[in-house]
Amino acid sequence: MQLIGPFSQLLTMDHLSLKGPLADQNLAIISQAGVVHDQGKIYAVGDFLKLQSQYPQAQVAYLEGDNVGMPGLIDAHTHICHAGSRAQDYSMRIGGKSYLDIAKEGGGIWRSVTATRNASEEALTAHILKRARRMIAQGVTTIEVKSGYGLSVASELRMLRAIRSAQETYPIFIPTCLAAHIPPKDRAGSASDYLKEIREELWPILLREGLTKRMDIFVEEGAFSVEEARTYLQQAQANGFDLTLHVDQFHPGSSLLAVELQALSADHLEASGTKEIQALAQSDVVAVALPGASLGLGDRFTPARRLLDAGASLAIASDWNPGSAPMGQLLLQAALLSVYEKLSTAETLAGLTIRAARALNLHDRGKLASDCRADIIAFPVDDYREILYQQGSLLPHRVWMRGQLFFP
């Protein structure tokens, strides 16, 4: 048992509404606080001196100077399992070509597919771990990771097995199967034929090896239609998979499928209009904003303010990928989104913690409370408002994962 503290301020992110607007006054902030943990789980949270008296057997990890503590950040949407670079695509994009134009000319996702197919499982694992170390140093202690640059049964398996191998080093990854990223160019037959092959040949192996419980699909022009996605996802649900969808990125409407199927989350939503926003708000589907894609493409942001005001649950993720969102930097992205969409500090930090946990159907993290994972980050300041004020330039100087100090 260990007691960490004292924190100048501790944001527990506990007892917050999972939907709708949040004011900073809704935040539970404990001054001169401590966290008691045992075997990777939080045992108690409260006043440091009182905890020291109540748990005299706890080893004390003293913090010197000012520290603002909060739960580790949760990045609920990434593509960090890949090989290769898309610098050529980026150069074309800033030269004036659109994302869809580049894809039609042989770039885009297919460029990453080619490089990833040529990489070994060991190489992919190394890439994941390298990117994860950077994310952990930025305060991210749970990382969702998608496949989707394989687009064949063998290559998708290699990606998901690489994610499992990375999990053996850092037990922080949530794997998602995105074999339905786009229809593969090198395969004869229709998009529906490809989805049938994935269902019949890949899914049984995923279930047998326990590689993932999550299924994703990209519903968009050049990817899969609503009708194709509906059949695929209904069968995924029948096989016990949780659902998440890439929707409304360039055209509105596909997020309604996420609502219809009661998916865990609907991600992107840059093109969502009033109809889509109202439907999401009336559902339990978490809207996941991906500001990195907006910044990488020079496109509009997810209408986060309108979603919250309508009553939706909003999470914020990095979408770190080699094409449209190559920066990573979750905290920087969230800080910029908060400026452009006029999100409160409470709404922004909730979107990175407790509401992001909901998007992944996780109940043991995203807040500092009894029986939750002791994933804690500390910033070297005395006021929590400094975190977003410094727009990503202020990074944690302490990161604990399951109670173990990982960084520095």
Side-chain angles (χ1 to χ4, degrees):
M1 182 175 286
Q2 185 182 59
L3 167 61
I4 304 173
F7 295 92
S8 306
Q9 293 180 331
L10 189 70
L11 281 69
T12 68
M13 307 308 294
D14 198 11
H15 305 301
L16 288 174
S17 171
L18 292 175
K19 297 184 67 176
L22 292 170
D24 290 357
Q25 290 81 359
N26 298 130
L27 290 172
I29 304 174
I30 306 173
S31 298
Q32 297 304 309
V35 178
V36 177
H37 69 87
D38 189 21
Q39 297 182 347
K41 285 191 175 182
I42 294 174
Y43 199 79
V45 177
D47 179 270
F48 178 80
L49 293 178
K50 289 182 180 179
L51 291 174
Q52 197 172 20
S53 175
Q54 291 171 353
Y55 302 96
Q57 75 276 28
Q59 178 186 4
V60 180
Y62 284 102
L63 300 178
E64 297 182 356
D66 293 322
N67 288 273
V68 170
M70 63 177 290
L73 308 182
I74 296 171
D75 197 334
H77 184 129
T78 85
H79 301 256
I80 63 170
C81 181
H82 68 85
S85 168
R86 299 253 287 278
Q88 180 178 348
D89 288 8
Y90 185 79
S91 180
M92 294 168 68
R93 189 157 60 245
I94 61 177
K97 293 196 174 182
S98 73
Y99 180 91
L100 295 176
D101 287 340
I102 293 167
K104 290 174 182 177
E105 294 181 18
I109 291 169
W110 194 252
R111 197 184 304 280
S112 293
V113 170
T114 301
T116 302
R117 283 182 175 180
N118 289 330
S120 66
E121 180 182 326
E122 292 75 17
L124 292 174
T125 300
H127 288 314
I128 296 169
L129 292 174
K130 179 180 179 181
R131 294 166 186 137
R133 282 190 287 270
R134 174 177 153 188
M135 296 175 76
I136 294 168
Q138 295 168 3
V140 180
T141 57
T142 296
I143 307 170
E144 188 264 8
V145 188
K146 302 179 188 296
S147 67
Y149 295 124
L151 302 189
S152 71
V153 172
S155 296
E156 289 291 310
L157 276 175
R158 187 184 310 119
M159 293 187 72
L160 288 160
R161 287 168 176 160
I163 298 168
R164 180 178 59 187
S165 295
Q167 180 82 343
E168 294 172 2
T169 300
Y170 302 140
I172 63 174
F173 300 109
I174 307 298
T176 301
C177 177
L178 183 57
H181 205 169
I182 60 171
K185 293 184 178 182
D186 61 347
R187 185 191 182 284
S190 66
S192 294
D193 291 335
Y194 170 65
L195 295 179
K196 180 180 179 182
E197 178 184 341
I198 292 300
R199 291 196 307 266
E200 294 180 352
E201 298 185 25
L202 178 62
W203 289 6
I205 303 173
L206 301 183
L207 295 169
R208 185 168 64 248
E209 296 188 15
L211 289 171
T212 181
K213 297 178 181 178
R214 292 167 47 84
M215 200 62 57
D216 196 350
I217 189 168
F218 185 19
V219 189
E220 187 52 80
E221 179 185 329
F224 297 94
S225 69
V226 170
E227 292 73 22
E228 290 162 342
R230 178 180 287 109
T231 299
Y232 182 76
L233 294 173
Q234 286 174 335
Q235 293 180 338
Q237 283 182 316
N239 279 273
F241 291 106
D242 290 332
L243 306 184
T244 180
L245 289 74
H246 285 60
V247 286
D248 290 6
Q249 183 172 10
F250 303 115
H251 302 91
S254 52
S255 60
L256 300 177
L257 178 62
V259 174
E260 174 190 332
L261 297 178
Q262 300 178 40
L264 288 177
S265 72
D267 302 24
H268 275 296
L269 307 175
E270 294 91 338
S272 297
T274 300
K275 180 179 180 181
E276 291 77 21
I277 290 170
Q278 290 296 327
L280 287 163
Q282 292 166 16
S283 76
D284 290 327
V285 179
V286 179
V288 181
L290 304 174
S294 301
L295 294 166
L297 296 174
D299 205 350
R300 56 196 159 182
F301 286 106
T302 300
R305 181 74 267 152
R306 293 178 64 199
L307 282 159
L308 285 168
D309 287 346
S313 181
L314 180 81
I316 304 169
S318 73
D319 194 20
W320 191 3
N321 72 68
S324 60
M327 75 152 60
Q329 303 282 356
L330 176 60
L331 190 56
L332 167 62
Q333 292 184 29
L336 293 178
L337 181 70
S338 71
V339 171
Y340 283 93
E341 285 294 311
K342 302 298 184 286
L343 307 182
S344 71
T345 300
E347 290 166 339
T348 306
L349 295 182
L352 298 172
T353 54
I354 186 68
R355 291 178 172 182
R358 180 180 177 182
L360 296 176
N361 199 26
L362 299 173
H363 305 282
D364 65 344
R365 64 200 83 179
K367 60 183 178 178
L368 301 179
S370 179
D371 291 329
C372 288
R373 282 176 42 147
D375 293 345
I376 310 165
I377 58 177
F379 295 86
V381 292
D382 63 357
D383 187 331
Y384 73 94
R385 292 169 294 191
E386 294 279 352
I387 298 171
L388 295 181
Y389 167 64
Q390 299 195 32
Q391 296 187 316
S393 63
L394 177 68
L395 295 176
H397 70 154
R398 297 284 188 277
V399 177
W400 293 265
M401 296 195 301
R402 292 188 174 182
Q404 300 298 310
L405 184 62
F406 179 87
F407 177 85

